[in-house]
């Protein structure tokens, strides 16, 4: 159990204004936006609620800082990220508690996100000094071809509530490394982690105006003018597919560079030759990381008929053993983010049950306050069930069976989404086949977790485009310029 005084201390330590041009300020209207603890429904803090004018001021600051920031030595940019990485690690316990209070996930999950999120700063600190170009002689020998990479320019970053810190660091890290300035808009439900991060970057020596953070409840009204402003050069968004589609439309006007990390509907395939122990461990990770509120979460468990009874029984036992409760009190599973999300999970389970599915554990909301839902396993789910098409974003594992590899791959690809997929098999030929034929941006073989700061994270189809992390991550923030030089 955490101490109530610690909870109060970490919340009160956060500066809750808008961070614009290196200064903390109130919104021009003086309005505030409440932040709730989803495990109790209580208001724990309030942050400045930016107006359209405040959004414009943030872009002014980013645009003003762009030239000098682009000219800052790569080593200096890298060292700022490295210092910020160290500060995050040093303050990991407080940052984890803060995240748990605003988002609900258990402390261990928050600590894992802090470690994962910090790694993007470490990785991109190392990438900042590896931005390179090329020199060539043209094929006819008449000229010399020089290519260089330059920062894209001011970037707008919009992030979701499910990973309040890491979804920010994997955009901010490469932008800083590449020499881009930015306006960041965290999700209204979880702004505190991002505000704490802004303070850390400021302490690490980030020049004024490079990072600007705007919190607002008038999200569309404040964001759209920025997206349409000709000074903005890139938009990067992590969130739901419908909002992503709208933002792509808005960005067409300015022909912005765009990265979209959108929803998922990951299949989890267990082939007949799978190591069942590893498959069940992997299933728990792929399903229950972040309480199922992850875009990479396994949403459809496709299990070979021969293994299905045992896999279902073992997954049911593991899910039933999880303690549901307040994340700050060290439960295994915290609440969902809000009542709407909890009710959507309940609705999708009810729809599956109406279609003939069996609930082997869980199957209902729980707790006398907050937004809790029991870890749930469903078997015998009909192919028409909504839960197989829509992202559940909660602790529910629907199991369906298959007989052949062809059938498994067809079922896995039968979704508009294409973010992640998991497959358990000991067979190399099958591993290669599923890796090649699954229509996703990322495939995890014999492991239940795919995210890694050193690897390109991202999707295809309705899961979006663009990659975050790995060497690919920084290229999203760089433009290639070619110079022809006559000798
Ligand atoms: P969301 O409603 O799309 O919100 C995401 C962000 O977009 C929030 O900051 C939100 O601000 C903002 N937003 C909402 N409407 C907007 C508008 N009209 N213009 C500009 N910004 C707008 O998604 P969510 O429910 O928070 O997040 C869950 C979704 O994110 C899931 O579908 C999940 O799969 C996806 N996700 C994807 C990845 C990935 O990398 N692929 C990672 C994590 C999550 P407000 O909070 O102020 O509304």
């Amino acid at each position: 159990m955490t101490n109530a005084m610690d909870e109060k201390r970490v919340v009160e330590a956060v500066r809750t204004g808008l961070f614009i041009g290196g200064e903390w300020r109130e919104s021009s209207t003086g309005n505030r936006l409440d932040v709730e603890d989803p495990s109790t429904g209580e208001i724990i803090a309030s942050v400045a609620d930016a107006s359209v004018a405040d959004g414009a001021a943030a872009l002014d600051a980013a645009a003003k800082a762009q030239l000098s920031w682009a000219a800052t030595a790569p080593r200096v940019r890298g060292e700022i990220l490295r210092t910020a990485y160290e500060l995050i690690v040093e303050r990991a316990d407080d940052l984890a508690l803060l995240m748990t209070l605003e988002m609900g996930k258990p402390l261990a999950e928050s600590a894992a996100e802090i470690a994962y999120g910090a790694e993007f700063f470490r990785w991109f600190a190392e990438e900042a000094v590896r931005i390179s170009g090329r020199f060539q002689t043209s094929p006819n020998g008449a000229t010399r071809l020089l290519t260089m990479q330059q920062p894209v320019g001011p970037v707008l970053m919009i992030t979701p509530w499910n990973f309040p810190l890491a979804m920010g660091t994997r955009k901010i890290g490469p932008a800083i490394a590449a020499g881009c300035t930015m306006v960041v808009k965290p999700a209204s439900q979880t702004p505190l982690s991002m505000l704490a991060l802004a303070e850390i970057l400021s302490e690490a020596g980030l020049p004024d105006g490079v990072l600007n953070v705007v919190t607002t409840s008038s999200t569309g009204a404040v964001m759209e003018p920025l997206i349409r402003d000709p000074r903005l050069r890139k938009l990067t968004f992590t969130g739901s597919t419908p909002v992503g589609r709208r933002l792509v439309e808005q960005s067409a006007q300015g022909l912005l560079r765009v990265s979209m990390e959108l929803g998922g509907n990951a299949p989890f395939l267990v082939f007949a030759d799978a190591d069942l122990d590893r498959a069940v461990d992997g299933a728990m990770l792929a399903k229950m990381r972040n309480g199922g509120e992850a875009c990479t979460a396994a949403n459809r468990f496709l299990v070979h008929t021969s293994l299905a009874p045992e896999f279902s029984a073992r997954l049911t036992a593991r899910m039933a053993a999880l303690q549901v409760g307040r994340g700050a009190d060290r439960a295994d599973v915290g609440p969902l983010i809000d009542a709407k999300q909890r009710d959507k999970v309940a609705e999708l389970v009810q729809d599956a049950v109406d279609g003939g599915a069996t609930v082997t554990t869980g199957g209902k909301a729980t707790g006398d306050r907050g937004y809790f839902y029991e870890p749930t396993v469903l078997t015998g789910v009909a192919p028409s069930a909504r839960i197989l098409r829509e992202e559940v974003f909660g602790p529910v594992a629907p199991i369906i069976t298959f007989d052949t590899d062809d059938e498994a791959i067809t079922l896995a690809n039968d979704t508009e989404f294409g973010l992640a997929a998991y497959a358990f098999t000991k067979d190399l030929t099958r591993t290669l086949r599923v890796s090649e034929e699954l229509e996703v941006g990322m495939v995890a073989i014999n492991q239940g977790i795919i995210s890694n700061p050193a690897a390109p994270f991202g999707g295809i189809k309705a899961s979006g485009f663009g990659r975050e992390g790995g060497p690919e991550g920084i290229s999203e923030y760089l433009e290639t310029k070619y110079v022809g030089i006559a000798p």
Side-chain angles (χ1 to χ4, degrees), residues 158-163 167 170 185-189 216-217 219-220 223 227 237-241 243-244 246-247 250 261-264 294-295 391 393 419 457 463 468:
I158 303 179
T159 58
W161 48 262
N162 59 345
F163 291 98
M167 295 304 98
R170 73 184 191 185
K185 200 223 66 80
S188 302
Q189 285 162 312
T216 181
S217 62
T219 307
M223 292 297 106
I227 296 169
F237 171 75
T238 298
S240 63
T241 296
V243 173
R246 189 175 326 156
L247 297 181
Q250 291 174 8
E261 302 287 354
L262 307 176
C295 48
E391 189 176 29
F393 237 55
L419 188 62
F457 186 104
S463 294
E468 294 189 324

Side-chain angles (χ1 to χ4, degrees), residues 130-177:
R130 314 243 181 279
I131 299 167
S132 61
R134 208 168 64 221
F135 182 82
Q136 265 173 277
T137 301
S138 65
N140 65 1
T143 190
R144 304 292 179 266
L145 315 176
L146 176 68
T147 56
M148 58 179 84
Q149 297 200 73
Q150 297 182 309
V152 168
V155 182
L156 176 61
M157 307 177 166
I158 303 179
T159 58
W161 48 262
N162 59 345
F163 291 98
L165 187 101
M167 295 304 98
T169 57
R170 73 184 191 185
K171 298 181 192 303
I172 296 167
I176 289 179

Side-chain angles (χ1 to χ4, degrees), residues 17 25 35 80 82 85 111 145 170 198-199 202 240 255 262 300 339 350 362 373 378 397 415 429 445 452 455:
R25 55 163 97 158
V35 181
I80 291 170
R82 176 71 202 197
Y85 160 77
L145 315 176
R170 73 184 191 185
E199 180 89 37
S202 175
S240 63
L255 295 170
L262 307 176
R300 298 169 294 144
Q350 191 56 51
Y373 196 89
L378 300 171
T415 168
T429 304
I445 302 291
N452 191 310

